[in-house]
């Protein structure tokens, strides 16, 4: 029996591994010497996270504080998207690129396996169940974020948490607390929650919101409502009107929603394929994503909620099909709330029902964005991750209930394979952007060879999820893992306002931040000797590196005056290195 069960599971996992290598190529050929990264975007700080975690643990320092960035003051990493789970893997392998790639491979494969097992609970077809795992593990949401936000693709624990949650508790309508079925399953829930805590707080809140939505089904007795009568529809309309007005008043009162409605999804985000799609990168979709009339932040991956066309249309058609038989999931008391939970997460992606940039209706779930702590989840489109898990389970169970009395087994297999082909076409991505270790600019190899503790780069800046001061070059964080010198620049998820003020209060730094954005012919006053001396005492730079785009810029010329004793060397690729001039040897 065990072999009969685990054989198909292992085969499913192996096939997800194959898909990972196929859809992320050329990464698979360079697991120890490259990492997925869109140039000038966030992936570099995630690689730094993995490197720093091991660096701190091995050296015996606190891994949740650093002065490698924002030197010399440093900052806490507690509220940073730190992904310590990958850091723990790096403790074992000792190679941050390999640790990232192995963790990504494991996360995608296990995400698919968990969704496969969840679907198999109510769906007989192994092809449909495997397709459910493919949709959850390799949705456009996750494939687009793989080379940018490693934390958001660490979803392996999610379907296993759902399975453990269903095994752990027995719920009854109107009763607040459930009956514990299995203490072992409860322990699994906490264990998987802790693993998710080490991965990402958005994914962790996905587990919490799943638990809340599931409980609401019983607390509000939603399963006992007869939607064939007019009264429930009238009550629903009243609730929607009152919640719309209440949220409207809250927004007019200037109560902070922490940008939740500003980042809220648009219905078009479910319909427009992303630019990363190999076969569906349509010009009309591109024009929509860059349209400021539709999106407050055009051309950002936070607007993408695409799940393909085949499965959403199939699910909608089955939901509207008259007099269809009840599915196995619907007949199961544990599975019955999942359609409601799916709807809950769809509403979470859009705190206001928005169509082509126009907010038509404030949805009740938008209240969460006014509740402190909960409103730190300010990018609601990310909940499409949970939609991609639940939509196939609900849809495929309903599909089997529809086709059992209508289609022969051969046609059922044919339809399953056809759906698999449709999703493969819809989801297949363009080649993954990859950064190679061999692509390190020579100036940083030279910086690693030279003595000194601190490297000062131009451009320089300070960035968090809300504010940018100066100019940020994310590649600096990857380069630091190679030259191993501390940097005054930084990018953290959250930075105290006091840190921004401290960073900007030095007169020389303040001038540099301004000159980085100044026209090339800008005329500036030379720094006072006392100001230059104070700057050098505070930041203690041993080396300066100028990016080719800023060579001979006002900021570069200004630094020459701050460091008149540093010798300058230009590399063939345009980088400039400023370092203390070598002391001449005495003549014998």
């Amino acid at each position: 029996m065990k072999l009969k069960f685990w054989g198909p599971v292992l085969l499913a996992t192996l096939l997800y591994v194959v898909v990972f290598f196929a859809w992320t190529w050329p990464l698979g050929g360079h697991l120890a010497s490259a990492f997925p990264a869109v140039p000038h975007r966030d992936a570099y700080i995630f690689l730094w996270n993995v490197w720093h975690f091991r660096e701190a643990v091995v050296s015996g320092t606190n891994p949740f504080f650093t002065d490698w960035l924002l030197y010399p003051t440093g900052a806490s990493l507690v509220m940073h998207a730190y992904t310590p789970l990958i850091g723990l893997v790096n403790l074992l392998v000792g190679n941050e690129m390999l640790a990232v790639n192995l963790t990504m491979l494991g996360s995608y494969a296990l995400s698919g396996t968990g969704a496969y097992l969840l679907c198999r609970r109510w769906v007989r077809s192994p092809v449909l169940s495997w397709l459910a795992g493919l949709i959850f593990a390799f949705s456009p949401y996750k494939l687009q974020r793989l080379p940018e936000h490693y934390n958001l693709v660490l979803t392996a624990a999610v379907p296993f948490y759902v399975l453990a949650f269903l095994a752990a508790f027995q719920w009854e309508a109107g009763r607040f607390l459930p009956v514990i079925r299995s203490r072992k399953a409860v322990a699994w829930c906490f264990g998987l929650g802790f693993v998710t805590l080490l991965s990402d707080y958005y994914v962790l809140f996905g587990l919490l919101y799943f638990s809340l939505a599931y409980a609401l089904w019983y607390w509000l007795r939603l399963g006992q409502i007869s939607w064939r009568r007019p009264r429930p529809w009238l009550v629903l309309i009243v609730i929607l009107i009152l919640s719309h007005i209440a949220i409207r008043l809250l927004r007019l009162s200037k109560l902070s929603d922490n940008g939740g409605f500003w980042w809220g999804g648009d219905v078009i985000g479910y319909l427009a394929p992303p630019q990363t799609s190999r076969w569906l990168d349509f010009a009309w979709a591109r024009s929509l994503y860059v349209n400021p009339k539709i999106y407050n932040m055009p051309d950002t991956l936070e607007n993408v909620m695409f799940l393909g066309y085949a499965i959403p249309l199939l699910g909608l058609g089955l939901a509207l099909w008259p007099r269809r038989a009840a599915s196995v999931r619907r007949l199961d008391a544990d599975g019955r709330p999942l359609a409601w939970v799916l709807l809950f997460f769809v509403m979470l992606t859009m705190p206001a029902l928005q169509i082509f940039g126009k907010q038509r209706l404030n949805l009740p779930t938008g209240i969460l964005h006014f509740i402190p702590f909960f409103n730190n989840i300010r990018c609601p489109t990310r909940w499409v991750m949970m939609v991609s898990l639940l939509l196939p389970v609900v849809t495929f169970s309903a599909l089997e209930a529809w086709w059992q009395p209508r289609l022969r087994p051969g046609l059922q297999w044919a339809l399953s394979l056809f759906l698999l082909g449709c999703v493969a076409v819809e989801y297949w991505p363009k080649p993954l952007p990859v950064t190679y270790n061999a692509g390190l600019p020579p100036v940083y190899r030279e910086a690693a060879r030279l003595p000194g503790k601190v490297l000062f780069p131009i451009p320089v800046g300070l960035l968090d999820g809300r504010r940018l001061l100066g100019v940020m070059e994310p590649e600096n964080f990857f380069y630091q893992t190679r030259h191993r010198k501390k940097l005054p620049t930084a990018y953290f998820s959250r930075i105290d306002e006091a840190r921004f003020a401290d960073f900007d209060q030095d007169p020389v730094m303040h001038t540099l931040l301004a000159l980085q954005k100044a026209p090339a012919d800008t005329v500036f006053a030379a720094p006072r000797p006392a100001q230059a001396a104070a700057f050098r005492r505070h930041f203690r730079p041993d080396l300066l590196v100028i990016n080719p785009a800023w060579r001979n810029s006002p900021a570069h010329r200004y630094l020459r005056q701050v460091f008149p004793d540093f010798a300058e060397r230009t590399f063939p690729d345009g980088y400039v290195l400023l370092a203390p001039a070598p002391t001449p040897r005495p003549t014998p």
Side-chain angles (χ1 to χ4, degrees):
M1 179 62 70
K2 288 185 177 181
L3 180 61
K4 186 177 180 180
F5 173 79
W6 287 110
V9 174
L10 293 175
L11 177 59
T13 305
L14 178 61
L15 291 175
Y16 293 130
V17 170
V18 172
V19 173
F20 179 86
F21 279 102
W23 285 7
T24 63
W25 195 262
L27 183 65
H30 307 274
L31 292 179
S33 58
F35 62 101
V38 175
H40 316 305
R41 303 295 280 267
D42 293 352
Y44 300 96
I45 192 63
F46 285 101
L47 184 81
W48 180 92
N49 291 344
V50 179
W51 170 81
H52 177 267
F53 186 90
R54 183 178 188 278
E55 198 71 24
V57 171
V58 170
S59 63
T61 60
N62 180 6
F64 292 93
F65 182 88
T66 188
D67 66 351
W68 281 91
L69 301 180
L70 200 56
Y71 184 83
T73 56
S76 170
L77 298 171
V78 172
M79 292 302 294
H80 180 51
Y82 195 29
T83 57
L85 181 69
I86 314 179
L88 290 170
V89 175
N90 195 29
L91 284 176
L92 299 176
V93 302
N95 179 327
E96 57 272 7
M97 293 183 183
L98 182 60
V100 165
N101 294 328
L102 289 180
T103 307
M104 294 299 107
L105 170 61
S107 179
Y108 275 83
L110 290 175
S111 294
T113 302
Y116 165 84
L117 290 171
L118 179 64
C119 192
R120 285 289 280 173
R121 176 162 177 165
W122 300 287
V123 175
R124 293 174 57 189
S125 169
V127 176
L128 290 180
S129 296
W130 191 85
L131 178 55
L134 182 76
I135 292 170
F136 176 62
F138 296 94
S139 68
Y141 164 86
K142 289 186 61 182
L143 287 172
Q144 192 172 23
R145 281 161 174 77
L146 174 58
E148 297 204 41
H149 298 146
Y150 299 162
N151 56 327
L152 296 177
V153 301
L154 296 177
T155 58
V158 175
F160 291 102
Y161 174 87
V162 173
L163 286 166
F165 183 88
L166 296 178
F169 305 109
Q170 180 178 342
W171 295 81
E172 295 180 10
R175 181 172 177 173
F176 185 75
L177 294 178
V179 175
I180 294 178
R181 283 177 175 165
S182 167
R183 296 186 184 276
K184 181 180 179 180
V186 173
W188 272 107
C189 288
F190 280 100
L192 291 165
F194 180 72
V195 169
T196 309
L197 177 64
L198 298 178
S199 305
D200 179 68
Y201 64 90
Y202 268 90
V203 183
L204 177 63
F205 265 78
L207 306 185
L208 297 176
Y209 281 155
F210 172 86
S211 305
L212 172 64
Y214 194 94
L216 284 173
W217 171 269
Y218 292 95
W219 293 344
L220 302 179
R221 301 176 184 268
L222 298 180
Q224 299 179 2
I225 297 175
S226 175
W227 294 101
R228 298 179 183 274
R229 299 178 180 178
R231 181 177 178 182
W233 291 101
L234 291 174
V235 172
L236 177 62
I237 291 171
V238 170
I239 291 173
L240 291 174
I241 292 174
L242 292 178
S243 64
H244 174 79
I245 295 173
I247 291 174
R248 176 68 175 163
L249 293 174
L250 288 172
R251 297 181 70 180
L252 290 174
S253 70
K254 306 299 182 181
L255 183 65
S256 175
D257 64 2
N258 205 19
F261 284 82
W262 193 87
W263 283 106
D266 193 295
V267 170
I268 197 64
Y270 277 106
L271 303 176
Q275 296 181 23
T276 53
S277 173
R278 181 186 291 264
W279 308 115
L280 305 184
D281 182 16
F282 303 129
W284 64 264
R286 288 188 179 188
S287 66
L288 290 174
Y289 280 126
V290 299
N291 190 339
K293 294 182 180 180
I294 297 178
Y295 295 111
N296 294 318
M297 181 69 77
D299 200 23
T300 175
L301 53 76
E302 299 296 354
N303 299 324
V304 177
M305 300 186 293
F306 185 68
L307 291 173
Y309 299 116
I311 304 307
L313 288 176
L314 176 63
L316 181 62
L318 289 169
L320 299 177
W321 191 272
R323 295 185 301 275
R324 63 179 172 84
S327 66
V328 174
R329 177 201 58 80
R330 189 177 174 188
L331 294 173
D332 180 5
D334 292 339
R336 197 172 301 133
L338 293 189
W340 148 251
V341 178
L342 168 61
L343 176 61
F344 180 82
F345 277 105
V346 171
M347 291 193 296
L348 282 181
T349 64
M350 296 179 288
L353 181 62
Q354 183 169 297
I355 304 174
F356 283 95
K358 303 295 184 181
Q359 293 186 355
R360 306 296 183 182
L361 178 69
N362 295 318
L363 298 177
T365 50
I367 293 288
L368 290 168
H369 293 283
F370 297 97
I371 302 175
F373 181 72
F374 289 93
N375 65 6
N376 278 303
I377 307 297
R378 64 193 188 98
C379 294
T381 54
R382 296 177 179 179
W383 295 128
V384 77
M385 174 263 297
M386 295 298 296
V387 177
S388 69
L389 173 65
L390 299 171
L391 176 63
V393 175
V394 173
T395 300
F396 294 157
S397 179
L399 177 61
E400 285 197 333
W402 177 86
W403 77 20
Q404 287 297 337
R406 293 176 174 87
L407 302 181
R408 297 190 303 272
L411 289 176
Q412 295 175 15
W413 272 88
L415 180 56
S416 300
L417 293 173
F418 174 75
L419 288 174
L420 176 58
C422 289
V423 172
V425 170
E426 292 171 334
Y427 284 21
W428 199 298
K430 294 177 181 177
L432 189 73
V434 171
T435 293
Y436 297 91
N437 189 37
L440 184 72
V443 66
Y444 295 105
R445 300 185 192 279
E446 179 66 10
R449 187 185 66 81
L450 293 173
K453 179 181 178 181
V454 180
L455 185 151
F456 193 98
I458 290 293
V460 65
L462 187 57
L463 173 67
D464 75 352
R466 298 189 179 98
R467 181 182 176 188
L468 170 63
L469 184 61
V471 179
M472 176 58 58
E473 184 186 21
E475 283 85 348
N476 275 322
F477 310 122
F478 163 50
Y479 301 153
Q480 185 185 52
T481 67
R482 298 305 181 255
H483 63 66
R484 301 179 60 82
K485 289 178 170 53
K486 299 189 176 183
L487 298 170
T489 191
Y491 178 15
F492 300 124
S493 296
R494 294 290 183 270
I495 302 175
D496 293 337
E497 282 298 321
R499 300 283 183 174
F500 280 101
D502 291 343
F503 191 75
D504 193 33
Q505 70 179 357
D506 181 274
V508 172
M509 177 63 86
H510 180 82
T511 303
L512 277 173
L513 296 175
L515 289 178
Q516 288 180 134
K517 301 179 180 181
D521 58 353
T522 298
V523 178
F524 51 84
R528 298 176 183 174
Q531 293 176 337
F535 174 85
R536 295 179 65 159
R537 282 195 305 271
H538 180 69
F539 291 102
R540 291 173 273 178
D542 300 295
L543 305 169
L544 294 92
V545 172
I546 314 299
N547 183 284
W550 276 264
R551 183 160 58 106
N552 294 322
S553 68
H556 183 184
R557 301 198 307 270
Y558 185 75
L559 278 176
R560 286 177 179 144
Q561 299 185 20
V562 179
F563 296 88
D565 53 326
F566 276 31
E568 194 168 295
R569 174 183 171 188
T570 302
F571 287 73
D573 58 0
Y575 277 93
V576 178
L577 174 67
L578 283 77
T583 304
R585 294 182 180 180
T587 307

